[in-house]
Amino acid sequence: MKKLINNPEKVVEDMLAGFLRAHADILKRSDRDGRAIVRKNVERGKVGIVIGGGSGHKPAFIGYVGDGMADGVAVGNIFASPSPYPIFGAMQDIEQGNGVFLIYGNYSGDCMNFSMAAELAEMEGIEVKQLIVHDDVASAPKEEADRRRGIAGEVFIYKVAGAKAKQGASLEEVYAATHKANEWIRSMGVALSPCSLPQTGKPSFTLGVDEMEIGLGVHGEPGVRRGPLRPAAEVAAELVDCICADMDYTDSDVAVMVNGHGSTSLMELYIVYDAVAKELERRNIRIYRSYVGEYITSLEMGGCSLTMLKLDDELKELIDAPAHTACFHQ
Amino acid sequence: MKKLINNPEKVVEDMLAGFLRAHADILKRSDRDGRAIVRKNVERGKVGIVIGGGSGHKPAFIGYVGDGMADGVAVGNIFASPSPYPIFGAMQDIEQGNGVFLIYGNYSGDCMNFSMAAELAEMEGIEVKQLIVHDDVASAPKEEADRRRGIAGEVFIYKVAGAKAKQGASLEEVYAATHKANEWIRSMGVALSPCSLPQTGKPSFTLGVDEMEIGLGVHGEPGVRRGPLRPAAEVAAELVDCICADMDYTDSDVAVMVNGHGSTSLMELYIVYDAVAKELERRNIRIYRSYVGEYITSLEMGGCSLTMLKLDDELKELIDAPAHTACFHQ
């Protein structure tokens, strides 16, 4: 697959150079590690929030560093966890004595490297708490929810954590609010077409010309069902079904995200959103706030994911709070 | 090509239903015409701004209706101009006695239909001015600039017009500021892969597996040169070369946009942006403000366009002004 790049081995460096140039008002590279990117102006005394993961998911993760969301990010290679050093570097840069909160998706590399960074930070006297996002209901049964992968729901978790920290909450309070959100969040995706890694140019998986795969992961991990592509309304209904079978959202207020994987047009995402909204209405689930667009992509993969987050009064306030990052504004 | 849709004949209606649901706080459908979408709360006494064009270019055009940009939009079918009636309907809905300003791209259907709508409005006593955007340097030589097509530069024109109107400027003043911007704006694109119309499912053009086409239009109109895909830095240099050969930006402050056509990843767009920025630096052109992302797409087409707008003090102020629409926030 054709890509507008210079050198497949340098896509992350070239992307970072462009990103830092375009968003120099918000972001800077840490002196401690070239793959640690941090905010220029963190509010005084705030609990620090550090996120991160592999590259290729833009606007995730660097696009969510800024006012009201994260304070620092560790940038990995394409679909590969960052090492502990940029994570630790970002933590050191943004910590202000009130602790650092780490948020990352449930992938073995990220779990290992973020935990190692947490240990390094604790040895320096930095108080650390961690939250592992595992919103993808397709990736393991309910009884093994701890094995589930983190997908687009991570964005809601950053939003909750960032808003809570900005209110002046303690590390314990930031953890409590995001932990609640993490319990109340579910996602599920559908893939229509693969992406290709810059280094190989080869598709990450193959699907027939009229096939879709329900539950396929953001790095091409196997899903739960492969079959003929169905109309958007049926696909939306299946995603809602699977999510609501896993958690009862009846009579709840929810935040909803329809997230494009990369090459699926915004037109299609709004068509899916309309079908999702009808399904939720039928189930007496009220959409309090909605997000339709590309939030966590997989390069140029085709398809989308649906995320639902149950909201109480605290979470409504945190989801509604203003945020201004390179790629998220409200 | 696979799409998440329900019925190829109803994609625009289904998309509109989802869009209006998701953005009901900002937008409503006009009672006058189902394809006229207008703002719910237009500031009193403001010059009205109506935009529009074919569908399939999301976030254009409906995504730019809101505070600080347009007040109404006429929504056409996929890649087809809206008829005069939704344009006229939107004008009637949002006009407040101080005139209506129409902005659209230089396509024969749009020119005909917007002009007819203007005539209908004038017969009703509404004062009207029009601006036709023709920023694509690839689509005709400089001597025939009036034949050039409008592409991603339209977004800057909406921004300038919306900010000027919000300042309380007269119709004449809004026209003058946008006319200046229209004279100082240039764009050029490169395509890597086609999109397909929902109705046919067929690619809009064909390119070899290692080919790109410079200057290809947003509906697949022929470009100026087809050749092997080059590294991003060379592609960026060629786009900058063509634009700067058409207008001298040396020693100017510019707003720059790297706009993705649909399936090209944000990672690639930032790689292109970095290369563009280096080229401009070399030419003593100063980037005052930059935009990297999907602003005017062609469904899932691959590739991007570069837009440059020369800025004086007035245009800097207008480009910098806050704006909040469904898809544009600053």
Side-chain angles (χ1 to χ4, degrees), chain A residues 2-6 10-12 14-15 17-19 21-23 55-56 58-59 78 190 192-193 198 207-212 229-235 262-275 277-278 281 290 292 294 299-300 303-304 324 326-327 329-330, chain B residues 2-6 10-12 14-15 17-19 21-23 55-56 58-59 78 190 192-193 198 207-212 229-235 262-275 277-278 281 290 292 294 299-300 303-304 324 326-327 329-330:
Chain A
K2 287 179 273 190
K3 292 188 193 296
L4 277 169
I5 59 176
N6 294 309
K10 291 194 170 165
V11 287
V12 176
D14 286 355
M15 173 280 292
F19 207 93
R21 230 186 240 275
H23 304 290
S55 289
K58 223 138 257 67
I78 298 286
V190 58
L192 269 63
S193 57
L207 269 175
V209 285
D210 287 318
E211 268 189 328
M212 65 176 185
L229 178 62
R230 305 299 306 156
E234 290 180 32
V235 174
S263 65
T264 294
S265 70
L266 199 48
M267 177 184 81
E268 291 161 85
L269 300 182
Y270 276 104
I271 291 173
V272 170
Y273 175 72
D274 190 53
K278 284 177 187 158
E281 217 165 75
S290 60
V292 182
E294 292 182 355
L299 297 165
E300 71 282 5
C304 69
H324 299 283
C327 302
H329 303 270
Q330 78 173 29
Chain B
K2 288 178 272 189
K3 292 188 194 294
L4 279 169
I5 59 175
N6 294 308
K10 291 194 170 164
V11 288
V12 176
D14 286 355
M15 172 280 291
F19 206 92
R21 230 185 241 276
H23 304 291
S55 289
K58 221 132 265 66
I78 299 285
V190 58
L192 269 63
S193 57
L207 269 176
V209 287
D210 287 318
E211 267 188 329
M212 65 176 184
L229 177 62
R230 305 298 307 155
E234 289 180 32
V235 174
S263 65
T264 295
S265 70
L266 199 47
M267 176 184 81
E268 291 161 85
L269 301 182
Y270 276 104
I271 291 173
V272 170
Y273 175 72
D274 191 53
K278 285 177 187 157
E281 216 165 76
S290 60
V292 182
E294 292 182 356
L299 296 166
E300 71 283 3
C304 70
H324 300 283
C327 302
H329 303 270
Q330 78 174 30

Side-chain angles (χ1 to χ4, degrees), chain B residues 17 92 217:
Chain B
Q92 288 175 294

Side-chain angles (χ1 to χ4, degrees), chain A residues 154-165:
Chain A
E154 289 187 42
V155 178
F156 282 153
I157 303 294
Y158 304 152
K159 184 72 189 67
V160 166
K164 192 75 186 176

Side-chain angles (χ1 to χ4, degrees), chain B residues 26 39 41-43 46-47 49 51 63-72 103 155-167 174 178 317-326 328-330:
Chain B
I26 303 177
R39 282 176 69 191
N41 301 300
V42 182
E43 297 87 348
K46 200 178 74 69
V47 167
I49 295 171
I51 64 175
Y64 299 115
V65 177
D67 180 27
M69 291 185 92
D71 302 302
I103 307 171
V155 178
F156 282 152
I157 303 295
Y158 304 152
K159 183 73 190 67
V160 166
K164 192 74 186 177
K166 195 172 172 172
Q167 288 179 349
V174 173
T178 47
E317 187 188 348
L318 298 173
I319 285 287
D320 279 341
H324 300 283
T325 73
F328 190 99
H329 303 270
Q330 78 174 30

Side-chain angles (χ1 to χ4, degrees), chain A residues 86-107:
Chain A
I87 306 169
F88 180 43
M91 293 171 80
Q92 289 175 293
D93 264 28
I94 57 100
E95 78 91 18
Q96 300 186 68
N98 290 309
V100 175
F101 190 50
L102 302 178
I103 307 171
Y104 52 96
N106 194 19
Y107 298 94

Side-chain angles (χ1 to χ4, degrees), chain A residues 3 7 9 13 19 24 29-30 83 86 92-93 119 126 167-168 171 182 218 223 255-256 269:
Chain A
K3 292 188 193 296
N7 175 342
E9 304 300 327
E13 277 316 312
F19 207 93
R29 211 186 275 261
S30 166
S83 86
Q92 289 175 293
D93 264 28
E119 281 177 36
I126 301 172
Q167 287 179 350
L171 183 57
N182 208 25
V218 294
V256 164
L269 300 182

Side-chain angles (χ1 to χ4, degrees), chain B residues 222-239:
Chain B
V224 291
R225 184 176 85 72
R226 189 174 274 213
L229 177 62
R230 305 298 307 155
E234 289 180 32
V235 174
E238 183 166 352
L239 299 180

